[in-house]
Structures are given as structure tokens and as C-alpha cells.
Amino acid sequence: MSGPVVLLALLSCFQIASALTRCDYELDLKTPFLADKENLYCFDDEGVDHVVDEDSVLCSDVGIQSPRTDGMDVRCGAGFTLVGYSFYPCDTQTGVLATSLSSDETLSQYSACVAEADVAANVCSGVDVAAEASKLKLDQDVGKVSNVDLVPENTTDYVSYAMACDDGLDFQFEVSKPVYGYCSGNAEGNAFTLAESDGCYEMCSAAKTNLEGVTLAMEEGSRNGATVSSEVVCPSGFEIAFGAAEEYAFVCNGVKEGSPNEGIYDCGEGCPECLAQCPANPTSEQITNFADVENLASVSLAVPAASGETVMAGVACGEGFSLASELKSSTIYSAAATKTIPRLTVANGPLL
């Protein structure tokens, strides 16, 4: 690569780096939130697997870390377990550390160290994995948290976290997010207390409706209580009647603390009806008035037809007969069906 080209590339990288806004660790995080925490260490080089050693900097040592665009990791010294957030990302657009926390009136930047001897009685561990009973965990998109303080009963001063449900479950549709909560028990797995929700419910997937074999023509799932409007997909060989409504309303019904994506879409009293299609290339038994058309040998139809649909079909006459000249190209048939018995009926011609 020539000298001018290399120089241009270096200048471009410098301009991009200069455009990023740095975060002030000292002013925005350490001094107000972490400086009073014992045995807590702050690391300002993102993407490194940090280990506390003799060169590590205590978060209580303020005034020594300059603003930069990396996020901040926190770790505890030997013999201690970290509770609260382990990483505070830097928003290089605003220069604010942990934007999702600082912009929320309920959440707070919080990290602390608990002596390992006190962990069993005072810490809920593994909160980044959904509890088996409640299906609840801490929302890792808001902040990386593995362990939190156990909040004793009747305590009013505690740290709230954004909560989430296990994959395939979610809070009810009318519940606004984020949902806040805290760990209130760890005797038989983690137990959580929520502020404005009664827990996690099965989500509904398009593959499950209250109509046997019928699915919805949509990709995203829905929370319990949500109403969706969607086209339906009938089982093979069945179709909505021609001219019927294209979309139908379904309500998601999920069981509390049930199984992932096992909720059922229910159409109530306004359900679509999947009727048997009138077949392609029907036999004589599948044409209601076949016998009424003299010298008719067979009917050819390229694709199945929906009940109520009028189609153009080809016909073959018996030996020694042909279509009248005005009907040489095709003949009109109407399709009519019940849920299981499709039939074609001659609506116009043929004249043989």
C-alpha cells in the first residue's frame, strides 16, 4: 500500500475515534456508586478476562482513571463474591456509563462484594438463569448480573432489578416493561418478588391454535392476553371458502409458569372454517351433476379450488363427440364443499 493511502486510512481511523464521546468513570460511576464498596476492583479495559492481582485498582481509589470509550468491569478480591452488575458499558454517543440504568428512575448502578462465608445466607446466585418454579431471571440486556443480595422479609431499602422470563414465556400483555423485582428467597431455588406483575406466562406461537391442524400466517409469538389479527393456514387439502374474510382475531391464552411457547391462540366465536378443497382433475364421482351432461368423459383442472370459487376447467368428450364450437376452449365449473366432501358442479355447459 502506498504512503498516501496508508496516511489516509490512519487519518480516517483517528477521525472516527475522535468522534466518539468518552465516559467519565470517576464522576459518573466510581465516586457516586462504587467508592464506598470494600474489596471491589474497577477495570477500564473492556474485552479482557480480568483477574484481581497486585496491579488491580480498587474502586475506592478515585481520581486515577481517565475518561475513555471502553466500558468498565468490576470484580471482587479473593474470598469475596460479586453481587450486582459486573459490567458498565460506555455509551459513546452520550458519554454516559450504563445508560439503561442511569436513565431509569427505579434502577441504580450497584456492585458490591460479599464474603464467601456469608453467601449462603445473604446472596441469590445464578440469577442470570431462570428459576425452575417461577421461570423468572434478571434481564441481562439491561445489565450483566449473576448474583444479587437476598432481600429479607419486610425490608424497604433494597436494590431493584429489571426482570425477565425464561425463553418462550413472558409477562402478561397488559404489563408494561421493564418489570422490576428483587430476590426474596434462596432456600429452594431463587424466589423473586415483582412490583407490578404476577409472573411469567406461556407465549403463543403461530403453530398452535384452538382449531385442529390450523396455524396462523405470522412469525412472531404473542404474550398471554394479546389479541392478534392474522390470516390462517389450513391443513393440506383444505382452504377457507372463496370470498371469506382474509384475517381473523385470535387471543393468546397461556398458562402461568407453563412450558415455552405452549400457549394457544383462540378465535372464540369468530373462527374461520377450513373446508375441503374441490380437487384438481376430479373424478366423475366428484362432480355432482356429471351424469346430467351427456357424453362427458372427464374434466381437467390444474389446481384445487376453494369452496365457492368459480373456475375454468377443460373437458374431454366421449368417443365420437366434441364440444360445441362456442365452448371449445374451456367450461365453467363452480366449487362447493363441506368440511370433508368437495364437489364440482357444472355451471355453464358443456354442450356435446
Coordinates of all heavy atoms in Angstrom, one line a residue, residues 199-240:
G199 N -46.2 -12.6 37.3 CA -45.3 -13.7 36.9 C -45.3 -14.0 35.4 O -45.8 -13.2 34.6
C200 N -44.7 -15.1 35.1 CA -44.5 -15.5 33.7 C -45.6 -16.4 33.1 O -46.0 -17.3 33.8 CB -43.1 -16.1 33.5 SG -41.7 -15.1 34.0
Y201 N -45.9 -16.2 31.9 CA -47.0 -17.0 31.2 C -46.4 -17.5 29.9 O -45.5 -16.9 29.3 CB -48.2 -16.2 30.9 CG -49.0 -15.8 32.2 CD1 -48.7 -14.8 33.0 CD2 -50.2 -16.5 32.4 CE1 -49.4 -14.5 34.2 CE2 -51.0 -16.2 33.6 CZ -50.6 -15.2 34.4 OH -51.3 -14.9 35.5
E202 N -47.0 -18.7 29.5 CA -46.6 -19.2 28.2 C -46.9 -18.2 27.1 O -47.9 -17.6 27.1 CB -47.4 -20.5 27.9 CG -47.1 -21.7 28.8 CD -48.1 -22.8 28.6 OE1 -49.2 -22.5 28.1 OE2 -47.8 -23.9 29.0
M203 N -46.0 -18.1 26.2 CA -46.2 -17.3 25.0 C -46.9 -18.2 23.9 O -46.9 -19.5 24.0 CB -44.9 -16.8 24.4 CG -44.2 -15.8 25.2 SD -42.8 -15.0 24.4 CE -43.7 -14.1 23.1
C204 N -47.6 -17.6 23.0 CA -48.3 -18.3 21.9 C -47.4 -18.3 20.6 O -46.9 -17.2 20.3 CB -49.6 -17.7 21.6 SG -50.8 -17.9 23.0
S205 N -47.4 -19.4 20.0 CA -46.7 -19.4 18.7 C -47.7 -19.7 17.6 O -48.8 -20.2 17.8 CB -45.6 -20.5 18.6 OG -46.3 -21.8 18.6
A206 N -47.4 -19.3 16.4 CA -48.3 -19.4 15.2 C -48.8 -20.8 15.0 O -49.8 -21.1 14.3 CB -47.7 -18.8 14.0
A207 N -48.0 -21.8 15.5 CA -48.3 -23.2 15.2 C -49.4 -23.8 16.0 O -49.8 -24.9 15.8 CB -47.0 -24.0 15.4
K208 N -49.8 -23.0 17.1 CA -50.8 -23.6 18.0 C -52.1 -22.7 18.1 O -52.0 -21.6 18.5 CB -50.2 -23.8 19.4 CG -49.1 -24.8 19.4 CD -48.5 -25.0 20.8 CE -47.5 -26.1 20.9 NZ -48.0 -27.4 20.6
T209 N -53.2 -23.3 17.6 CA -54.5 -22.6 17.7 C -55.5 -23.6 18.3 O -55.2 -24.8 18.4 CB -55.0 -22.1 16.4 OG1 -55.4 -23.3 15.6 CG2 -53.9 -21.3 15.6
N210 N -56.7 -23.1 18.6 CA -57.7 -24.0 19.1 C -58.5 -24.7 18.0 O -59.4 -25.5 18.3 CB -58.8 -23.2 19.9 CG -59.5 -22.2 19.1 OD1 -58.9 -21.5 18.3 ND2 -60.8 -22.0 19.3
L211 N -58.0 -24.6 16.8 CA -58.6 -25.3 15.6 C -57.6 -26.4 15.2 O -56.5 -26.1 14.9 CB -58.9 -24.3 14.5 CG -59.8 -23.1 14.8 CD1 -59.9 -22.2 13.6 CD2 -61.2 -23.6 15.2
E212 N -58.0 -27.6 15.2 CA -57.1 -28.7 14.9 C -56.5 -28.5 13.5 O -57.2 -28.4 12.5 CB -57.9 -30.0 15.0 CG -57.0 -31.3 14.7 CD -57.7 -32.6 14.9 OE1 -59.0 -32.5 15.2 OE2 -57.1 -33.6 14.7
G213 N -55.2 -28.6 13.5 CA -54.5 -28.5 12.2 C -54.3 -27.1 11.6 O -53.7 -27.0 10.6
V214 N -54.9 -26.1 12.2 CA -54.9 -24.8 11.6 C -53.8 -23.9 12.3 O -53.8 -23.9 13.6 CB -56.3 -24.1 11.8 CG1 -56.3 -22.6 11.3 CG2 -57.4 -24.9 11.1
T215 N -53.0 -23.2 11.6 CA -52.0 -22.4 12.1 C -52.2 -21.0 11.6 O -53.0 -20.7 10.7 CB -50.6 -22.9 11.7 OG1 -50.5 -22.9 10.3 CG2 -50.4 -24.3 12.2
L216 N -51.4 -20.0 12.2 CA -51.5 -18.6 11.8 C -50.4 -18.3 10.8 O -49.3 -18.7 11.0 CB -51.5 -17.7 13.0 CG -52.6 -18.0 14.0 CD1 -52.5 -16.9 15.1 CD2 -54.0 -18.1 13.4
A217 N -50.7 -17.4 9.9 CA -49.7 -17.0 8.9 C -48.9 -15.8 9.5 O -49.0 -14.6 8.9 CB -50.3 -16.6 7.6
M218 N -48.1 -16.0 10.5 CA -47.3 -14.9 11.2 C -46.1 -15.6 11.8 O -46.1 -16.8 12.0 CB -48.2 -14.2 12.2 CG -48.8 -15.1 13.3 SD -49.9 -14.2 14.4 CE -48.7 -13.2 15.3
E219 N -45.1 -14.8 12.1 CA -43.8 -15.3 12.6 C -43.7 -15.1 14.1 O -43.3 -16.0 14.8 CB -42.6 -14.7 11.8 CG -42.6 -15.1 10.3 CD -41.4 -14.5 9.6 OE1 -40.6 -13.9 10.3 OE2 -41.3 -14.8 8.4
E220 N -43.9 -13.9 14.5 CA -43.6 -13.6 15.9 C -44.7 -14.1 16.8 O -45.9 -14.2 16.5 CB -43.6 -12.0 16.1 CG -42.4 -11.4 15.4 CD -42.3 -9.9 15.7 OE1 -43.2 -9.4 16.5 OE2 -41.4 -9.3 15.3
G221 N -44.3 -14.5 18.0 CA -45.2 -15.0 19.0 C -45.9 -13.9 19.8 O -45.6 -12.7 19.6
S222 N -46.8 -14.2 20.7 CA -47.5 -13.1 21.4 C -47.5 -13.5 22.9 O -47.5 -14.6 23.3 CB -49.0 -13.0 20.9 OG -49.0 -12.7 19.6
R223 N -47.7 -12.4 23.7 CA -47.8 -12.6 25.2 C -49.3 -13.0 25.5 O -50.2 -12.7 24.8 CB -47.4 -11.3 25.9 CG -46.0 -11.0 25.8 CD -45.6 -9.9 26.8 NE -45.7 -8.6 26.4 CZ -45.7 -7.5 27.2 NH1 -45.6 -7.7 28.5 NH2 -45.8 -6.3 26.7
N224 N -49.4 -13.6 26.7 CA -50.7 -14.0 27.2 C -51.6 -12.8 27.3 O -51.3 -11.8 27.8 CB -50.6 -14.7 28.5 CG -51.9 -15.0 29.1 OD1 -52.7 -15.8 28.6 ND2 -52.3 -14.4 30.3
G225 N -52.8 -12.9 26.7 CA -53.8 -11.8 26.7 C -53.8 -10.9 25.5 O -54.7 -10.1 25.3
A226 N -52.8 -11.1 24.6 CA -52.7 -10.3 23.4 C -53.7 -10.8 22.4 O -54.0 -12.0 22.2 CB -51.3 -10.3 22.9
T227 N -54.3 -9.8 21.6 CA -55.2 -10.2 20.5 C -54.5 -9.8 19.2 O -53.9 -8.7 19.1 CB -56.5 -9.4 20.6 OG1 -57.2 -9.7 21.8 CG2 -57.4 -9.7 19.4
V228 N -54.4 -10.8 18.3 CA -53.8 -10.6 17.0 C -54.8 -10.8 15.9 O -55.8 -11.5 16.1 CB -52.6 -11.6 16.8 CG1 -51.6 -11.3 17.9 CG2 -53.1 -13.0 16.8
S229 N -54.5 -10.2 14.8 CA -55.4 -10.4 13.6 C -54.5 -11.0 12.5 O -53.4 -10.5 12.2 CB -55.9 -9.1 13.1 OG -56.8 -9.3 12.0
S230 N -54.9 -12.2 12.0 CA -54.0 -12.9 11.1 C -54.7 -13.7 10.1 O -55.9 -14.2 10.4 CB -53.0 -13.8 11.9 OG -52.3 -14.6 11.1
E231 N -54.1 -14.0 9.0 CA -54.6 -15.0 8.1 C -54.3 -16.3 8.7 O -53.5 -16.5 9.6 CB -53.9 -14.9 6.7 CG -54.1 -13.6 6.0 CD -53.4 -13.5 4.6 OE1 -52.8 -14.5 4.2 OE2 -53.5 -12.5 4.0
V232 N -55.0 -17.4 8.2 CA -54.8 -18.7 8.7 C -54.3 -19.6 7.6 O -54.5 -19.4 6.4 CB -56.1 -19.3 9.3 CG1 -56.6 -18.4 10.5 CG2 -57.2 -19.4 8.3
V233 N -53.6 -20.7 8.1 CA -53.2 -21.7 7.1 C -53.9 -23.0 7.4 O -53.8 -23.5 8.5 CB -51.6 -21.9 7.3 CG1 -51.2 -23.0 6.3 CG2 -50.9 -20.6 7.0
C234 N -54.7 -23.5 6.5 CA -55.5 -24.7 6.7 C -54.6 -25.9 6.5 O -53.6 -25.8 5.8 CB -56.7 -24.7 5.8 SG -57.9 -23.4 6.1
P235 N -55.1 -27.1 7.0 CA -54.3 -28.3 6.7 C -54.3 -28.6 5.2 O -55.1 -28.1 4.5 CB -55.1 -29.4 7.5 CG -55.9 -28.6 8.5 CD -56.2 -27.3 7.9
S236 N -53.4 -29.4 4.8 CA -53.3 -29.8 3.4 C -54.6 -30.3 2.9 O -55.3 -31.2 3.6 CB -52.2 -30.8 3.2 OG -52.1 -31.2 1.9
G237 N -55.1 -29.8 1.8 CA -56.4 -30.3 1.2 C -57.6 -29.5 1.6 O -58.7 -29.8 1.2
F238 N -57.3 -28.5 2.5 CA -58.4 -27.7 3.0 C -58.1 -26.2 2.7 O -57.0 -25.8 2.6 CB -58.7 -27.9 4.5 CG -59.2 -29.3 4.8 CD1 -58.3 -30.4 4.8 CD2 -60.5 -29.5 5.0 CE1 -58.8 -31.6 5.1 CE2 -61.0 -30.7 5.3 CZ -60.2 -31.8 5.3
E239 N -59.2 -25.4 2.7 CA -59.0 -23.9 2.4 C -60.2 -23.2 2.9 O -61.3 -23.7 3.0 CB -58.8 -23.7 0.9 CG -58.3 -22.4 0.5 CD -58.0 -22.3 -1.0 OE1 -58.0 -23.4 -1.7 OE2 -57.8 -21.2 -1.5
I240 N -60.0 -21.9 3.3 CA -61.1 -21.0 3.6 C -62.0 -20.8 2.4 O -61.5 -20.8 1.3 CB -60.5 -19.7 4.1 CG1 -59.7 -19.9 5.3 CG2 -61.7 -18.7 4.4 CD1 -60.4 -20.4 6.5

